[in-house]
Amino acid sequence: MHRTARTTSAAIALTVAAGITACGSSGGEGVAADKKQTLTVWAMGVEGEKLAEVAKVYEEANPHITAKVTPIGWDVAHQKLVSAAAAGTLPDITQMGSSFMGEFVELGVLEPVDTKTFKKDAFFPAAWEQGVADGETYGVPWYVETRVLYYRTDLAKKAGITKAPTTWPELQQAASDFQDKAGTKWGISLQPAGLDAVHSWYPFLYSAGGSIVSDGKAAMDSPETVRALKEYGTYFAKGLAKKSFQPGYEVLTDFNSGDVPMFYSGPWTMTGINDNYPDLKGKWAIAKVPADKSSSSMAGGSSLVISKDSEHKEAATEFLSYLTDTEGQKDWFKRSGDLPANTSAWDSGELANDANFKIFREQMETAQSWPVLPQWTEISSKADDAISQVTQGKASAEDAAKKAQSEIEGLVE
Amino acid sequence: MSTTTEPAAEAAPVKTGPGAHPPPGGRNRGKRQTVAVQQMAGWLFSTPFLVLFAVFMALPIVATLVMSFTDFGLRNVTDPFSAEFIGFENYTKLLDDEKFLKALFNTAYFVVVGVPLTVGLGLFVAVLLNNGIDRARTFFRVGFYAPVVTSIVAIAVVWRFVLDPSDGLIAGLASEVGLTSPDFLGSEALAMPSLIVMAVWRNLGTVMVLFIAGLQAIPPDVREAARLDGASTWQEFRRITVPLLRPTMLYTTVITTIGYLNVFEEPFVMTQGGPSDSTLTVSLSMYREGFNFFHMGYASAMAYVLFVVIMAITVLQLRLLKDNTK
């Protein structure tokens, strides 16, 4: 009974197979790119809606293609994609969040990217890495995001801070100056615990040169990682950051009121401030992540993938080229505000001249992405636990890191 | 029901109930044929339910049981037959799983504190509304019932505002009188009680409605007789109301217990199980293992442990509470 290396019996076959219909049909020969055909595309949230507009434009230039874009909500995306993968009904093209990639590579439902059509050096390195697993590329980078430091310039003036902090000590000094001299409630907002607390910690981790998993091995107890944990913890120990965590916390409310003068966030927050808090105009700025060894932030974003079962791979590849080449990426930025993954799209217009976008571009050059692993959610949740242990003062950075290390070692084979 | 359809109506004479009527229209068919038609009609009418039950209830229940003895993981989603049988390994692993044991403890805490509060307060409010306030009765009934029909997301927004330690409602009231509000959801000791208060508030309405129905089913002459015999209000409540409400009490206790053993939404939207797993419940950890980490086999084992616990407690409650009524 124990670990008999046998495939399961009729019972599971019957019960499971009845629930999960037969796995994808084997694609067949595939349709040539210039034949009349319909491409099915899934994209998440607002992107799904905007992509439908782009698809219309594409259809006009390529009348033999009909691109059917279905927007799906981010909250249901993961489950919907997994069920579709199980049932073999994934669309020809799917938007893939960077944290999903590992799972779907493991499921074996993605077609490797044609690296002759899509060139690695056309994209930000971190964006490209998000689609690479076991030496094979599965995703074409579509748009990127990275986290930078947002801060209140008017409060900084009050606190006697004359320039944006560029190092760890300067950041901590700034946090306490904001609190002491400008009377802000907190020095900075950092997520102390809960799901995806790691996202808030990455700017520290990567700047210290640490990582959670490095070269396929757990690296939580490396000196760099421990150093990053320790530094993160001091903000809570000193009362510079709020220790308690609320799911769904909206930092902009406190940024607006002045309770929180600094926080890390991505490009969407610029739009968020401009749209919701127009009174803040001229009172805030962004800066690169304060450096330890280097200034290095996390890279996120989305890729586009083609299904292994698709019968329209050639046409799908052409459509993806259109979406990810320089012109397509510029057009996408104009429509959605998402930052282009293709570096040459940054060389003209607003992206090249706006001071804030310059900061994002610089930050993106050194940004790092987490490894593409099927168990990534579970691995990063162990790091979340370590972070909460430290921020709640329940364990030293060393002990929390050691515990996470042994747990993660069990997860990466 | 038996007169709405023709086959059923024809079948009426087969039944020998006191209300049996001769077949309408006087059509003469063999008794045997009528039985067959009746049976067929029965199956026909039950088929939609049976199919739905089989596909959406029975099958997943069996599949989960089978899965709980396998190492069903992410890669088996596209290839279910490659999952391996590992016997009771998932179950023995559960016994060593610190997080799961903590979740079990938290769930028990939630039930032990939450159920008596919900049922007790539900009864109290029902009695008040049934007797006391005359004019505004409907208003209060709706008021207490409103949380039941409100979306949990909306409830979460409101309760976060109430509990927020810096500018929440309680914090505001506290600062009026010169006190500082504790951080309800951020403190390991207070997070669970806060969620319990929220759940009691949210489920009170259901229990209250059931009790009001129960109270109104008590014949007024019983009360009148008691009053004529000189019973005080308290005596009337203890000797008349409570015993006659026993069935309702049993029912509300059982459904509230089952609901609280499954508690998921409150910790999911308010704390995500934190701080430091102090509000992690069995259902929440099952959800995480299954849908975040894809340990489907392991999550299924958790589901079955929870199932057995619920079954045992329900049977126990039925025994204990039912015997008392005799």
Side-chain angles (χ1 to χ4, degrees), chain A residues 78 82 97-104 194-199 202 212-213 370-385 408 411-412, chain B residues 74 99 287-295:
Chain A
H78 187 251
V82 173
S98 48
S99 46
F100 297 179
M101 188 65 86
E103 285 168 12
F104 288 86
L195 241 53
D196 291 331
V198 276
H199 286 245
Y202 283 138
I212 296 172
V213 171
W370 54 78
V372 178
L373 293 169
Q375 325 84 329
W376 185 250
T377 321
E378 191 173 7
I379 293 171
S380 62
S381 83
K382 303 296 179 199
D384 287 337
D385 284 347
I408 294 171
L411 292 170
V412 286
Chain B
L74 179 67
K99 280 208 175 203
Y287 174 84
R288 273 196 204 160
E289 288 291 339
F291 296 111
N292 288 349
F293 306 154
F294 269 100
H295 300 156

Side-chain angles (χ1 to χ4, degrees), chain B residues 151-172:
Chain B
S151 138
I152 181 73
V153 179
I155 288 177
V157 172
V158 172
W159 276 88
R160 270 195 213 131
F161 167 71
V162 171
L163 298 173
D164 190 289
S166 47
D167 43 38
L169 184 70
I170 296 178

